[in-house]
Amino acid sequence: MMHAYNALSNRFIRPFISSISVPNHIAGFDYLRGFAAFVVVIHHIVGMLTGETRATHHFWVGAAGVDIFFVLSGFLMFGFLAEARPPVQFWIRRLLRVFPSYFLFTTFAFLVNILILKRDVHFQIWHYTLSLLFIPHINQLGDLKPIVGAGWSLVYEFWFYTFIMICLFFRRYRLLIFIAPLFILPVIDYSNKNIAHQFLGNNVIFEFWLGALSRAVLCISIKKSYSILMLITGLGVLCADQFLHLDRDMNRLFIWGIPALLIVTSISHMNMASTSVGRFLGDTSYAVYLAHPIFIIGAQRFFLKGNPSLIGSAICIGAIVLLTYMTAFFVHKYVDIVATNKLKKIIFKNRQNTPLNQYYPAPND
């Protein structure tokens, strides 16, 4: 069997992988990351005002920004897999990209829970520890989320990076190992609702492989008109879901994942110019994603009690967005860049000047 795989690899797989390389920079992804983070922020703000249930939420589809992040992550990680990067170095660099800001906001949330909200200390220490280790667990509300609720997607991101590292260890068979979960995960019996089954049974996992598919077709030339058509179709399906509530009866992977695939694929084939605005939106998207729940929760507890007026709600929304992006700017500048690069210099003896966030999308809800 392995002889057959080697023959197949030499004939088809290796030429295909050699044709895949990670572009230095896809400017359109900056705008897309900024867009994805922004719609998630608006989704949570609207949920704060109208209720978190599907029936009452006026911008439910904003949560699909997370699906766009997952597809983006799969797109770029598959490129790194094709390049056969050193596995441990790859994993450490990914961890350095996501952990400093995550540690900052997780620690802040932990201190708020202990000192201000006066929640059970022993549970919070356990909750905090598992959150920092990216270990899936049930929080005090019965949800499979870390202390920073939006960080649930980062747990999936972390374990996907770990899976990519494992694939990279098996350099010759890395593509075979990469596609194996597509055949294993669907046949697992998820009737036992333990934590592992809840985590693996979430079909958003497959959106990473949708991103890989998008990356694989990057070597195929697609006309600009077709790219625009894909973008309009992807956005159109998401807009239709907002009004038709398609996700009530259909799988999230199809209703949000496939449109995210179309959107990412279309943007990757568009030759967009890099601008300072795009860079800002892309670079701060990760910190925006992590920071906004703090201001939303603060607004709920201190400023939006009872039935606020329309003007009061509008002011509060504007303040949340403004404070979120201001915080994200400073966190990106002093944590994502300064602190991360210092850690990089400490860990890696052979220093390189390549910015850690040159190729990496922000994870993300």
Side-chain angles (χ1 to χ4, degrees), residues 13 61 66 98 101 122 134 154-155 159 168 171 184 201 207 209 213 217 233 249 256 264 278 291 293 310 312-313 342:
I13 298 178
V61 76
V66 177
V98 301
S101 292
H122 293 91
F134 298 100
L154 297 180
V155 178
W159 289 108
L168 288 170
R171 182 185 180 94
I184 297 174
E207 292 175 352
W209 280 267
L213 175 62
V217 301
T233 302
D249 304 313
W256 290 355
V264 170
L310 181 61
S313 297
K342 287 183 178 180

Side-chain angles (χ1 to χ4, degrees), residues 267-282:
I267 294 296
S268 68
H269 284 82
M270 293 182 183
N271 188 21
M272 294 185 178
S274 179
T275 66
S276 57
V277 173
R279 280 285 192 179
F280 171 80
L281 293 175

Side-chain angles (χ1 to χ4, degrees), residues 155-173:
V155 178
Y156 281 100
E157 292 273 359
F158 171 81
W159 289 108
F160 182 62
Y161 302 153
T162 303
F163 172 66
I164 294 294
M165 178 185 69
I166 294 172
C167 294
L168 288 170
F169 273 115
F170 299 89
R171 182 185 180 94
R172 188 178 183 86
Y173 306 106

Side-chain angles (χ1 to χ4, degrees), residues 184-214:
I184 297 174
L185 292 177
V187 300
I188 296 178
D189 180 11
Y190 296 106
S191 58
N192 181 6
K193 296 297 182 179
N194 57 38
I195 292 177
H197 282 184
Q198 290 184 52
F199 183 75
L200 295 175
N202 192 333
N203 54 53
V204 298
I205 289 179
F206 295 103
E207 292 175 352
F208 291 120
W209 280 267
L210 289 181
L213 175 62
S214 178

Side-chain angles (χ1 to χ4, degrees), residues 198-237:
Q198 290 184 52
F199 183 75
L200 295 175
N202 192 333
N203 54 53
V204 298
I205 289 179
F206 295 103
E207 292 175 352
F208 291 120
W209 280 267
L210 289 181
L213 175 62
S214 178
R215 182 67 190 86
V217 301
L218 186 61
C219 57
I220 301 175
S221 177
I222 298 179
K223 293 182 178 180
K224 186 176 180 179
S225 58
Y226 292 156
S227 296
I228 295 175
L229 180 61
M230 283 193 294
L231 179 61
I232 294 174
T233 302
L235 293 174
V237 172

Side-chain angles (χ1 to χ4, degrees), residues 71-300:
V71 175
L72 269 172
S73 182
F75 181 101
L76 294 182
M77 294 309 107
F78 186 65
F80 296 139
L81 181 70
E83 286 189 342
R85 294 198 170 192
V88 176
Q89 186 181 89
F90 160 82
W91 187 82
I92 292 176
R93 285 176 176 272
R94 291 309 305 146
L95 193 61
L96 287 176
R97 173 66 183 94
V98 301
F99 188 75
S101 292
Y102 180 70
F103 173 80
L104 174 67
F105 287 105
T106 298
T107 302
F108 178 82
F110 169 71
L111 294 175
V112 169
N113 285 342
I114 295 295
L115 302 177
I116 299 178
L117 302 181
K118 305 296 183 182
R119 291 176 176 170
D120 180 71
V121 175
H122 293 91
F123 179 84
Q124 290 303 317
I125 292 176
W126 173 81
H127 193 20
Y128 175 68
T129 303
L130 294 183
S131 296
L132 287 182
L133 295 175
F134 298 100
I135 297 176
H137 62 283
I138 304 297
N139 64 15
Q140 63 268 31
L141 300 177
D143 298 323
L144 194 66
K145 292 182 178 180
I147 285 186
V148 178
W152 70 268
S153 61
L154 297 180
V155 178
Y156 281 100
E157 292 273 359
F158 171 81
W159 289 108
F160 182 62
Y161 302 153
T162 303
F163 172 66
I164 294 294
M165 178 185 69
I166 294 172
C167 294
L168 288 170
F169 273 115
F170 299 89
R171 182 185 180 94
R172 188 178 183 86
Y173 306 106
R174 61 190 185 279
L175 187 60
L176 183 64
I177 297 173
F178 178 75
I179 65 175
L182 296 177
F183 301 95
I184 297 174
L185 292 177
V187 300
I188 296 178
D189 180 11
Y190 296 106
S191 58
N192 181 6
K193 296 297 182 179
N194 57 38
I195 292 177
H197 282 184
Q198 290 184 52
F199 183 75
L200 295 175
N202 192 333
N203 54 53
V204 298
I205 289 179
F206 295 103
E207 292 175 352
F208 291 120
W209 280 267
L210 289 181
L213 175 62
S214 178
R215 182 67 190 86
V217 301
L218 186 61
C219 57
I220 301 175
S221 177
I222 298 179
K223 293 182 178 180
K224 186 176 180 179
S225 58
Y226 292 156
S227 296
I228 295 175
L229 180 61
M230 283 193 294
L231 179 61
I232 294 174
T233 302
L235 293 174
V237 172
L238 293 179
C239 291
D241 177 54
Q242 175 61 39
F243 299 103
L244 301 178
H245 299 183
L246 300 174
D247 60 294
R248 284 178 170 175
D249 304 313
M250 299 182 67
N251 196 305
R252 174 175 179 163
L253 178 65
F254 297 103
I255 297 303
W256 290 355
I258 297 300
L261 167 65
L262 294 175
I263 292 169
V264 170
T265 303
S266 66
I267 294 296
S268 68
H269 284 82
M270 293 182 183
N271 188 21
M272 294 185 178
S274 179
T275 66
S276 57
V277 173
R279 280 285 192 179
F280 171 80
L281 293 175
D283 290 345
T284 59
S285 60
Y286 179 44
V288 165
Y289 181 78
L290 289 175
H292 78 275
I294 295 174
F295 300 107
I296 290 177
I297 294 173
Q300 284 178 312

